[in-house]
Amino acid sequence: MGEVALSNGKGNGQKYSLNGYRKSCWYEEEIEDNLRWCFALNSILHTGTSQYQDIALLDTKPFGKALVIDGKLQSAETDEFIYHECLVHPPLLHHPNPKNVFIMGGGEGSTARELLRHNTIDKVIMCDIDEEVVDFCKSYLVANSEAFHDPRLKVIINDARAELESREERYDVIVGDLADPIDGGPCYKLYTKSFYEFTVKPRLKEGGIFVTQAGPAGIFSHTEVFSSIYNTLRQVFKYIVPYTAHIPSYADIWGWVMASDSPTDLSVEELDHRMRQRIKGENRYLDGKTFSSASTLSKVVRRSLDNETHVYREEAARFIHGHGKQA
């Protein structure tokens, strides 16, 4: 769980929960039992609690404004573009002509922002279960205000599974921008084989592409959930592309997995060509060579993915370190 602390610089500062103390010097997040990550704060801008999650907006010295949910940093002002460009642009660029997209989660609006940069897009559905998170982000994350006012975006407050199952519409791309699977969190059931097979896949058009954020993917952390999510998706789809990037504010390599029943092979040159043709403005992080590098995993991670046997199910779930509000 994330905490703030007053410290004299010698590591023995008194700690307070985010909801209990507003004037602080440091934010600290427990990554593992014996590993914590902390950085200096200018201030705590807001804290709140919804039906599902604890929410905080911090003004940090190294990363600018940072959104924290259930004690886990979700995104930070200075480097969120890495995460969101990696999540959004690979599936849209590999699709020949994406018109409509369904976002599972994505309440902060950054995923919608990146999707709406594509000139092929006619309609984006953003479905987030937590209205308080969406309203919170609309109020405080001004960088995404244009996206929230784009007429192509429709925001729906509902459980993503229930919403997809109630719809007859099919989509060119479905994006999983869900919170990490943590024990007691609201999202872990949306990483299961049954959900991918019976809810996500039937809602994709022919040639459609699914992409999901897949948690930490570092040399040591990739076995928490990344390898399992990869193996689960390859039980459901024919073509699977795992890829990773370093996110400084996460203090780790992060992973995504793209899945489809149609081939997803494009050259560096074709990716760059499609970016120039389709995307408004220039990406800060992702281009053809960067994606080629991102999808070339290290030997140890490739070996783990090749040998992974765990299939993500509700009764056999894996979690990253931490606990949700309902744990």
PDB file of all heavy atoms in Angstrom, residues 34 171 197 229 255-256 284:
ATOM      1  N   ASN A  34      10.354  -7.149   0.478  1.00  0.00           N
ATOM      2  CA  ASN A  34      11.622  -6.568   0.921  1.00  0.00           C
ATOM      3  C   ASN A  34      12.140  -5.477  -0.011  1.00  0.00           C
ATOM      4  O   ASN A  34      13.329  -5.190  -0.035  1.00  0.00           O
ATOM      5  CB  ASN A  34      12.676  -7.676   1.043  1.00  0.00           C
ATOM      6  CG  ASN A  34      12.281  -8.733   2.048  1.00  0.00           C
ATOM      7  OD1 ASN A  34      11.925  -8.416   3.181  1.00  0.00           O
ATOM      8  ND2 ASN A  34      12.314 -10.002   1.635  1.00  0.00           N
ATOM      9  N   TYR A 171     -16.149  -4.931 -32.567  1.00  0.00           N
ATOM     10  CA  TYR A 171     -15.153  -3.867 -32.609  1.00  0.00           C
ATOM     11  C   TYR A 171     -13.918  -4.297 -33.403  1.00  0.00           C
ATOM     12  O   TYR A 171     -13.549  -5.464 -33.430  1.00  0.00           O
ATOM     13  CB  TYR A 171     -14.755  -3.462 -31.183  1.00  0.00           C
ATOM     14  CG  TYR A 171     -15.945  -2.988 -30.392  1.00  0.00           C
ATOM     15  CD1 TYR A 171     -16.687  -3.885 -29.613  1.00  0.00           C
ATOM     16  CD2 TYR A 171     -16.370  -1.667 -30.456  1.00  0.00           C
ATOM     17  CE1 TYR A 171     -17.803  -3.467 -28.913  1.00  0.00           C
ATOM     18  CE2 TYR A 171     -17.488  -1.239 -29.757  1.00  0.00           C
ATOM     19  CZ  TYR A 171     -18.197  -2.140 -28.998  1.00  0.00           C
ATOM     20  OH  TYR A 171     -19.316  -1.728 -28.321  1.00  0.00           O
ATOM     21  N   GLU A 197     -12.069 -15.752 -23.907  1.00  0.00           N
ATOM     22  CA  GLU A 197     -12.644 -16.674 -24.883  1.00  0.00           C
ATOM     23  C   GLU A 197     -14.124 -16.407 -25.152  1.00  0.00           C
ATOM     24  O   GLU A 197     -14.572 -16.458 -26.309  1.00  0.00           O
ATOM     25  CB  GLU A 197     -12.453 -18.110 -24.399  1.00  0.00           C
ATOM     26  CG  GLU A 197     -12.876 -19.167 -25.397  1.00  0.00           C
ATOM     27  CD  GLU A 197     -12.484 -20.566 -24.950  1.00  0.00           C
ATOM     28  OE1 GLU A 197     -12.040 -20.743 -23.787  1.00  0.00           O
ATOM     29  OE2 GLU A 197     -12.608 -21.488 -25.784  1.00  0.00           O
ATOM     30  N   ILE A 229      -0.487 -14.151 -18.337  1.00  0.00           N
ATOM     31  CA  ILE A 229      -1.418 -13.490 -19.252  1.00  0.00           C
ATOM     32  C   ILE A 229      -1.069 -13.852 -20.697  1.00  0.00           C
ATOM     33  O   ILE A 229      -1.956 -14.128 -21.516  1.00  0.00           O
ATOM     34  CB  ILE A 229      -1.396 -11.965 -19.032  1.00  0.00           C
ATOM     35  CG1 ILE A 229      -1.993 -11.624 -17.656  1.00  0.00           C
ATOM     36  CG2 ILE A 229      -2.159 -11.231 -20.137  1.00  0.00           C
ATOM     37  CD1 ILE A 229      -1.785 -10.188 -17.234  1.00  0.00           C
ATOM     38  N   GLY A 255       4.843  -4.631 -19.346  1.00  0.00           N
ATOM     39  CA  GLY A 255       4.494  -5.514 -20.452  1.00  0.00           C
ATOM     40  C   GLY A 255       3.091  -5.289 -20.989  1.00  0.00           C
ATOM     41  O   GLY A 255       2.181  -4.873 -20.269  1.00  0.00           O
ATOM     42  N   TRP A 256       2.948  -5.592 -22.284  1.00  0.00           N
ATOM     43  CA  TRP A 256       1.655  -5.593 -22.976  1.00  0.00           C
ATOM     44  C   TRP A 256       1.611  -6.846 -23.839  1.00  0.00           C
ATOM     45  O   TRP A 256       2.655  -7.365 -24.237  1.00  0.00           O
ATOM     46  CB  TRP A 256       1.505  -4.376 -23.885  1.00  0.00           C
ATOM     47  CG  TRP A 256       1.594  -3.066 -23.177  1.00  0.00           C
ATOM     48  CD1 TRP A 256       0.569  -2.296 -22.714  1.00  0.00           C
ATOM     49  CD2 TRP A 256       2.799  -2.343 -22.835  1.00  0.00           C
ATOM     50  NE1 TRP A 256       1.044  -1.155 -22.111  1.00  0.00           N
ATOM     51  CE2 TRP A 256       2.407  -1.155 -22.169  1.00  0.00           C
ATOM     52  CE3 TRP A 256       4.157  -2.593 -23.018  1.00  0.00           C
ATOM     53  CZ2 TRP A 256       3.322  -0.224 -21.700  1.00  0.00           C
ATOM     54  CZ3 TRP A 256       5.077  -1.672 -22.549  1.00  0.00           C
ATOM     55  CH2 TRP A 256       4.658  -0.502 -21.900  1.00  0.00           C
ATOM     56  N   ARG A 284       6.013  10.633 -29.117  1.00  0.00           N
ATOM     57  CA  ARG A 284       7.238  10.964 -28.383  1.00  0.00           C
ATOM     58  C   ARG A 284       8.118   9.740 -28.194  1.00  0.00           C
ATOM     59  O   ARG A 284       9.331   9.845 -28.127  1.00  0.00           O
ATOM     60  CB  ARG A 284       6.878  11.561 -27.024  1.00  0.00           C
ATOM     61  CG  ARG A 284       6.155  12.894 -27.106  1.00  0.00           C
ATOM     62  CD  ARG A 284       5.698  13.372 -25.728  1.00  0.00           C
ATOM     63  NE  ARG A 284       6.823  13.615 -24.844  1.00  0.00           N
ATOM     64  CZ  ARG A 284       6.687  13.904 -23.544  1.00  0.00           C
ATOM     65  NH1 ARG A 284       5.480  13.933 -23.004  1.00  0.00           N
ATOM     66  NH2 ARG A 284       7.752  14.126 -22.799  1.00  0.00           N
TER      67      ARG A 284
END
